[in-house]
Structure formats: C-alpha cells, structure tokens
Amino acid sequence: MKKLGLTLVAALAFSASVFAQEKADATPQQWDGTINKSKLSKYLQLDARQHDQVADICDFFQDEMKRANRSKNSEEKVRNAVYGNLKLMKQTLDEKQYSNYVRLMAMTLRNKGIDIEKK
C-alpha cells in the first residue's frame, strides 16, 4: 500500500513536469496549450496508432487555445477548448490512460491558473 502511495505521488510529480513548461504563475492568456507529446506518449504508454491520434489532438488543442486567448470571451473559449480536448482524448485512450490524462490536465490547468468551472 505504501508503494502504491509513493508511486502515485511520483506519477503526479512527473506529470507536473510533463505539462508545466511555463511559469506556474501564468495567466490563462499566457498558456497556448503546448503539450510535450513525446513525454505524454511515454507517460501514457501509447501504442503507435494512439500516438498519432494524440499528437493530432494536441496540435488541435494548441490551435484552439491560441484562438481562445485572442478572443474577447476567452474564458468560455478556453473552457470549450479544454472540454473538447478531453472528449477527443476519451475516444482515443483506454480507461486507465484517460484517467491519468485527466489528472495531468487538471494539474496543468491549476498550475497555469486556469479555472474552467462554470461561474
């Protein structure tokens, strides 16, 4: 049980480094959605088919985040970009991979200071 706890803590610490490529105090307008695809692929243990699909989804997400940051109602656009990304990832990843990805995304958003909860 102790090993499982330590493994989980290590995975979360690793996940923060996978996504957090900018300063932790960044504002939503500063993160363009860049994701290190090779580290993500290793962490999620993607097969070749999944790797290609996830790379395309990450590129699409980055485009959507850039567009959202330039928009007047950026909070709503960022929320839509994140939820759209999660929907596409759910279709591509298996249950365990998706669970790990959601955790990574949540931690990244928190580190970037992005709140996607509806107000």
Side-chain angles (χ1 to χ4, degrees):
M1 188 67 181
K2 187 175 181 181
K3 279 187 174 183
L4 179 63
L6 291 174
T7 303
L8 182 59
V9 168
L12 289 174
F14 172 75
S15 65
S17 68
V18 168
F19 283 96
Q21 295 176 350
E22 297 176 12
K23 295 179 184 175
D25 62 349
T27 63
Q29 290 75 28
Q30 290 179 332
W31 188 46
D32 64 358
T34 303
I35 297 173
N36 187 325
K37 293 176 272 256
S38 63
K39 287 185 180 180
L40 179 63
S41 181
K42 282 183 183 178
Y43 179 70
L44 296 177
Q45 299 175 348
L46 303 178
D47 61 33
R49 179 192 57 82
Q50 287 177 317
H51 176 77
D52 293 339
Q53 290 177 340
V54 166
D56 291 342
I57 293 169
C58 289
D59 291 339
F60 178 71
F61 177 64
Q62 185 174 359
D63 292 341
E64 289 295 306
M65 286 294 288
K66 286 179 181 177
R67 199 170 300 127
N69 289 330
R70 290 189 304 260
S71 174
K72 289 181 182 177
N73 55 346
S74 68
E75 286 184 25
E76 180 181 342
K77 298 281 186 180
V78 167
R79 186 180 312 113
N80 290 341
V82 170
Y83 283 119
N85 175 268
L86 292 175
K87 183 178 179 181
L88 292 170
M89 286 296 193
K90 187 169 187 160
Q91 296 170 356
T92 303
L93 304 174
D94 65 33
E95 192 174 317
K96 183 179 179 193
Q97 291 169 326
Y98 181 71
S99 175
N100 289 336
Y101 182 76
V102 169
R103 250 187 316 227
L104 290 173
M105 183 60 80
M107 184 178 294
T108 300
L109 294 172
R110 194 173 332 118
N111 287 343
K112 300 295 183 183
I114 299 172
D115 181 20
I116 60 169
E117 296 293 321
K118 291 188 178 184
K119 296 176 182 176

